[in-house]
Amino acid sequence: MRTAHPRALRRATAAGALTVLLALAGCTSGGDTKAASSAPQRVSDDQAAAVPDDEASPAPQGSSSPSKVPVLPDAQLTPATGSFTAKEKKYLHGRVPKNMDPAAVLQIGQESCQRIERTAAHDKNAAIGALIAGEIEGADDAIIHLCPKQRPLLDAAATGFPDGTRKKPKPGTYQALTDAKGCTWKALGAGGRVLGSGPGPGNGTKKVTAKVPAGTTSFVSSGCYAWLPV
């Protein structure tokens, strides 16, 4: 399985146009509340400790120890009616807490796919920016298993990085995935020496670009949402 892209420093300054697109894409029809109403029951520490490792959910990204929340074994991943496809079962593996409907967990992944697809239909770069910034929960696994047609977006997102501080960025020209004013950046070298700064081209009229020279040890930005190589 593909390693999840780092998610760091999510910014409240995500630009107006992208924010609107993401909000629209997050809407679902029919008012389904099944996933929200099927929350797993609380498990005591003693119960959790008794769960075999192969029935414990995977550790969260960056965690040094496995999570001990009991999950359904694969043999019990069955919906109330019908059956899951092989891809759906792979997505659900190790992901469904006991006492929770597997179909509700699957629905969360399907809604992530719908949000990505709807956003990309309006603006491909907005969808890529959302993936880079971690705006869509569980998007990586959802794309890999449930909507593989969106894999090119995930691959593109892997080449970018979110707003904030990026250590040792690859030299090149990058574009900020926002139209908002106030995007600023600095390329810093050894000893904190400024090698380049901006906003440069853009500043509200078009997307800001930044040239990261060789020798850059840190790239620091604010109000830029996410960066993608040009």
Side-chain angles (χ1 to χ4, degrees), residues 97-167:
K98 285 188 174 181
N99 302 320
M100 188 171 182
D101 182 3
V105 177
L106 177 61
Q107 181 181 345
I108 295 172
Q110 291 171 334
E111 289 175 350
S112 293
C113 281
Q114 290 170 4
R115 188 177 179 188
I116 295 163
E117 290 163 354
R118 291 172 183 172
T119 303
H122 288 281
D123 186 334
K124 181 179 177 181
N125 277 346
I128 295 172
L131 293 172
I132 293 172
E135 294 283 344
I136 303 175
E137 189 69 23
D140 289 14
D141 287 343
I143 289 175
I144 291 171
H145 296 295
L146 302 178
C147 49
K149 288 184 179 180
Q150 305 304 317
R151 185 60 184 262
L153 299 178
L154 191 61
D155 293 341
T159 67
F161 51 86
D163 195 28
T165 300
R166 177 74 170 182
K167 296 293 186 181

Side-chain angles (χ1 to χ4, degrees), residues 58-116:
Q61 184 68 19
S63 174
S64 58
S65 60
S67 170
K68 290 298 183 180
V69 176
V71 297
L72 286 176
D74 288 355
Q76 296 181 27
L77 294 177
T78 55
T81 59
S83 60
F84 293 126
T85 66
K87 289 183 178 180
E88 290 171 342
K89 287 182 178 179
K90 285 184 179 180
Y91 174 76
L92 292 171
H93 171 72
R95 192 181 299 273
V96 183
K98 285 188 174 181
N99 302 320
M100 188 171 182
D101 182 3
V105 177
L106 177 61
Q107 181 181 345
I108 295 172
Q110 291 171 334
E111 289 175 350
S112 293
C113 281
Q114 290 170 4
R115 188 177 179 188
I116 295 163

